[in-house]
Amino acid sequence: TIGDAYMVAAGHDGCTDHAQRVILMGLAMLEAVRGVRPPPSMRLQIRVGVHSGPAFTGVVGRRVPRFCFFGDTVNVSSRMESTGVPSCIHIS
């Protein structure tokens, strides 16, 4: 979790359908949001960004260690999500 963002990785287990699995997860997330009833004055929306490519992981920090994703793939998908249209899946 990064603030209000979530990062997901697929394909690291050798599966060949990782792109399809990520897209299906994004669709399921959009559907789940439709079932949430926020307070009357609030509107709940999410944005999903998907990019395919290499990514690297590691634990960063000693006092408060965190598991982190690194690489251009992570940066591109993050930018797609942060600048995307709400309630849509953005795919590169």
Side-chain angles (χ1 to χ4, degrees):
T1 310
I2 309 160
D4 61 352
Y6 293 87
M7 181 76 60
V8 176
H12 56 282
D13 59 353
C15 68
T16 58
D17 64 342
H18 58 275
Q20 179 181 4
R21 291 166 60 186
V22 169
I23 298 303
L24 291 174
M25 180 181 175
L27 290 169
M29 291 171 64
L30 291 174
E31 184 63 31
V33 167
R34 289 186 192 104
V36 175
R37 300 181 104 192
S41 62
M42 185 182 287
R43 187 171 171 196
L44 182 62
Q45 295 179 313
I46 65 169
R47 297 180 305 263
V48 178
V50 177
H51 183 67
S52 184
F56 306 93
T57 61
V59 177
V60 177
R62 290 185 180 191
R63 286 187 16 228
V64 184
R66 292 179 212 116
F67 187 75
C68 298
F69 286 102
F70 302 97
D72 288 338
T73 302
V74 174
N75 296 332
V76 170
S77 61
S78 174
R79 298 304 171 266
M80 291 175 64
E81 178 277 326
S82 65
T83 61
V85 177
S87 300
C88 291
I89 298 175
H90 304 275
I91 305 169
S92 67

